[in-house]
Amino acid sequence: NISGIRRDVGLIDALGRACCDSERPKIARTAIYFFLGVDKFVVFEGDSDSEDEENENDAIYNSATARAARDSIDYHEHSKKTRKRGRQVARQTKRAAKIARQAAHGDIDTSQPIFSAIELLSDPQILCERLLSRLRAHKDKFETRILILELVSRLAAVHKLQLLPLYSYLQRYLDPKQRQVTKLLAIFVQGCHDLVPPDELRPLARHLADRFVSDRNAPEAMALGINAITNIVNRCPALLDEPDMLGFARDLAAYSKHRNKSVVIAARSWINAVRHQFPILLRKKDRGKFADKTATPIKFGQIDADTEIAGVDLLEAYEAGTLPQDLAAAFNGEKKIDILDDDIDIDNNDQDEEEIDDDIDTDNNDQVEEEEQPRAMIGPTRILSTEDFARIRALKAKARELAVESGSQHSSVYTNALVKPSDLEGYTVKRRATIEERRAKVEAGREQFQHRLHPGGKTNAEKKRTKNYLMLQKKAQRAATSKKRSRGAPKQQLLRDKRKRRRL
């Protein structure tokens, strides 16, 4: 069972060792594909109860993706019912059910992947060092090297590894004329994180600007380079605090006045990123009116400690009665919250407290009035009870569930680590086709028309167009003589044909 393999740490470590097997490249590629492809939901075995299956079917039916697929079905309610329309409705219904099943099992990316075999590796640092030593041997093909680089960069991003030789090795491939340069740039950006020393990334950012961001290159290459540098700064903000970054940031921001739209959009995204992290680097016109001049990027190695409990804002909104309408309706529908494997009914507890308060003597009326007042905002002076923590967990779970149904992405270690090549391409302008391209498209259309396939072969009209004229010469002569005879046909024959037409 593949889901059992994904949860076995020993087997996953064995697959990691298989990635370094240079003597059997097929096995190594298969193991690499396993780590790069396992990012779907895990189906745990042993859940075959009828009640669980019914709940799963209800969840599939009531999911947002399934509802959207059902709403797109045209049932022809206000038109005539025909067999063809009935077949169309059946086909659309079947397609909607398939979309719902795929969304429930993770085949459609409606939420973030919640499991990856990469996260279960026991020693990813040693695995990456072995893969890098294999890359330096130059024994593999280019496609295999790209696979290894992608695996190493993903491991570095997920586990926040220190792999300084990776960036110097990738530098030789960062050129606009390099094959699959967009994918290599995505691999490089993916391997950057906030624990990489910024002095290691500064020469690489300068290298990208010199090679890509230049008027000698095509606008697509310029936009690609600016987007790559922007993503690097977003993942490693300490890079902006390096020396000589003032002129570097302003040079890239100057491309916002470029004649090409894709370069302009990429430069504006760079301006927004710098404005958010370190706005003092930009000129006054690029900085904006409401920018915080005192904002500085996070220092290398700096960690911001949490000042409050995660989810306490939901508890405050719940107690103040200001929860969002959908979250409040969903949370109020569930009356019980699990606390240490025990079900505690919140409503019953509230009723019990009210009964106890009613039984208090009149001498303690002041104390009762104080307890009936709404609770103050949660601060450092309030100690949360076990019931408060249980309510926070329930609110967070319900908010996460509603976000999954709406199709919004959650932030997680794995999803933040992934970078797709399409994320770096940005806006692309559709180029006007040249005369040669248009002529080739017309000729391809002619060939497609001439060689159009039918289930039963060519029609008689198509055969007649391609048949030799000498083969059709006698047939054409016979057709011409038959027409002459029909003109001189006797009167009885014409009357007989007329009666036949009347019967029809």
Side-chain angles (χ1 to χ4, degrees):
N1 191 351
I2 189 66
S3 61
I5 292 174
R6 294 176 189 176
R7 290 175 289 149
D8 194 330
V9 180
L11 285 175
I12 287 177
D13 288 337
L15 288 170
R17 291 190 296 270
C19 297
C20 307
D21 191 354
S22 59
E23 297 180 356
R24 292 170 289 185
K26 289 186 178 180
I27 295 177
R29 283 197 300 269
T30 305
I32 293 172
Y33 278 126
F34 173 80
F35 284 107
L36 295 179
V38 180
D39 54 357
K40 303 296 182 184
F41 291 97
V42 178
V43 180
F44 294 96
E45 54 272 339
D47 301 333
S48 59
D49 297 335
S50 59
E51 295 181 358
D52 296 341
E53 291 179 357
E54 291 178 0
N55 296 334
E56 182 180 359
N57 293 332
D58 293 340
I60 293 173
Y61 184 81
N62 295 322
S63 63
T65 308
R67 289 197 300 269
R70 288 197 303 272
D71 293 341
S72 64
I73 298 175
D74 185 9
Y75 289 101
H76 299 284
E77 296 178 352
H78 306 289
S79 57
K80 184 179 179 181
K81 304 299 186 292
T82 60
R83 291 184 180 180
K84 181 179 180 181
R85 289 172 179 170
R87 289 193 299 268
Q88 289 176 354
V89 172
R91 198 181 303 120
Q92 292 175 8
T93 307
K94 185 177 179 181
R95 178 176 173 274
K98 182 180 179 182
I99 290 174
R101 287 195 304 270
Q102 289 177 344
H105 293 90
D107 294 337
I108 294 178
D109 192 11
T110 57
S111 62
Q112 94 279 9
I114 59 173
F115 179 82
S116 176
I118 288 178
E119 300 175 9
L120 296 181
L121 286 168
S122 58
D123 198 347
Q125 179 76 30
I126 292 186
L127 175 60
C128 290
E129 291 176 357
R130 290 177 180 175
L131 291 173
L132 287 174
S133 63
R134 176 179 176 176
L135 284 173
R136 285 191 289 267
H138 298 287
K139 294 182 180 179
D140 298 308
K141 296 181 180 179
F142 180 71
E143 291 76 11
T144 307
R145 275 181 279 167
I146 286 183
L147 283 176
I148 296 174
L149 284 171
E150 188 174 359
L151 177 59
V152 171
S153 66
R154 194 172 296 188
L155 284 168
V158 172
H159 295 280
K160 301 292 183 70
L161 303 179
Q162 294 283 348
L163 297 173
L164 302 184
L166 171 64
Y167 311 105
S168 59
Y169 181 84
L170 277 170
Q171 185 174 358
R172 70 186 72 180
Y173 294 108
L174 302 181
D175 190 88
K177 298 179 181 180
Q178 173 65 44
R179 185 174 45 157
Q180 299 187 16
V181 64
T182 308
K183 190 169 186 178
L184 288 166
L185 275 174
I187 290 172
F188 171 61
V189 174
Q190 187 174 253
C192 299
H193 51 85
D194 53 353
L195 296 183
V196 178
D199 54 351
E200 293 288 337
L201 296 178
R202 181 165 54 89
L204 289 169
R206 177 67 66 179
H207 174 80
L208 287 177
D210 294 340
R211 291 297 182 94
F212 287 86
V213 190
S214 174
D215 291 331
R216 300 187 304 270
N217 296 327
E220 293 81 4
M222 297 174 63
L224 188 64
I226 296 175
N227 288 329
I229 298 172
T230 304
N231 280 273
I232 292 171
V233 168
N234 288 332
R235 298 167 77 90
C236 184
L239 179 62
L240 293 174
D241 205 11
E242 287 292 302
D244 302 333
M245 289 300 292
L246 178 65
F248 182 79
R250 294 185 176 182
D251 289 344
L252 292 182
Y255 283 95
S256 60
K257 304 297 183 181
H258 197 269
R259 61 182 179 273
N260 188 270
K261 190 175 181 179
S262 58
V263 179
V264 171
I265 293 175
R268 287 177 180 174
S269 66
W270 164 258
I271 291 173
N272 291 333
V274 179
R275 185 188 297 165
H276 177 69
Q277 301 286 348
F278 203 9
I280 200 65
L281 293 180
L282 298 173
R283 292 185 177 91
K284 185 177 181 180
K285 62 178 181 179
D286 296 329
R287 197 181 303 152
K289 184 178 180 180
F290 304 102
D292 185 9
K293 297 181 181 180
T294 61
T296 56
I298 299 176
K299 302 293 183 182
F300 171 65
Q302 178 182 351
I303 299 176
D304 292 337
D306 294 332
T307 58
E308 61 180 12
I309 301 171
V312 73
D313 53 342
L314 294 174
L315 182 60
E316 290 179 355
Y318 172 77
E319 293 179 351
T322 59
L323 276 176
Q325 187 175 2
D326 53 349
L327 180 58
F331 183 72
N332 293 332
E334 297 182 1
K335 299 299 183 183
K336 293 186 177 181
I337 294 179
D338 296 333
I339 302 177
L340 301 177
D341 298 333
D342 295 331
D343 291 334
I344 295 181
D345 196 338
I346 298 175
D347 295 343
N348 292 339
N349 289 342
D350 295 339
Q351 294 176 2
D352 295 340
E353 291 176 0
E354 292 176 359
E355 292 175 0
I356 293 172
D357 293 338
D358 293 339
D359 295 339
I360 296 178
D361 297 336
T362 56
D363 297 336
N364 298 328
N365 287 335
D366 298 335
Q367 182 178 359
V368 174
E369 291 178 358
E370 291 179 358
E371 291 180 356
E372 289 178 352
Q373 292 179 355
R375 297 183 181 182
M377 298 297 292
I378 298 175
T381 57
R382 175 178 168 183
I383 299 176
L384 298 179
S385 62
T386 308
E387 187 175 328
D388 293 332
F389 282 109
R391 187 177 283 112
I392 289 174
R393 286 196 300 270
L395 285 168
K396 288 169 63 177
K398 186 56 63 176
R400 192 183 306 115
E401 184 179 329
L402 292 175
V404 169
E405 290 183 359
S406 63
S408 60
Q409 294 282 340
H410 306 305
S411 61
S412 66
V413 175
Y414 192 81
T415 50
N416 291 337
L418 300 182
V419 176
K420 298 179 182 178
S422 59
D423 299 338
L424 304 180
E425 291 176 355
Y427 178 82
T428 56
V429 181
K430 187 176 180 181
R431 183 177 55 85
R432 183 179 180 182
T434 60
I435 297 176
E436 292 78 9
E437 292 174 348
R438 282 182 281 173
R439 185 180 294 115
K441 186 176 181 181
V442 170
E443 292 177 356
R446 289 174 182 172
E447 293 177 0
Q448 186 179 3
F449 176 76
Q450 291 176 359
H451 301 288
R452 184 171 51 188
L453 300 177
H454 295 281
K458 292 184 178 181
T459 61
N460 292 336
E462 290 177 344
K463 291 177 181 177
K464 188 183 292 185
R465 283 197 298 267
T466 57
K467 193 174 288 187
N468 192 1
Y469 175 72
L470 296 175
M471 300 172 64
L472 299 172
Q473 189 175 9
K474 291 184 178 180
K475 189 174 182 180
Q477 291 175 357
R478 288 197 298 268
T481 54
S482 64
K483 285 184 179 179
K484 290 180 181 179
R485 291 175 184 173
S486 63
R487 289 173 188 169
K491 192 175 182 178
Q492 293 179 356
Q493 182 69 25
L494 294 175
L495 293 173
R496 194 181 302 117
D497 294 340
K498 191 175 182 180
R499 286 195 297 269
K500 286 182 178 179
R501 285 196 295 269
R502 285 177 180 171
R503 293 193 194 117
L504 297 174

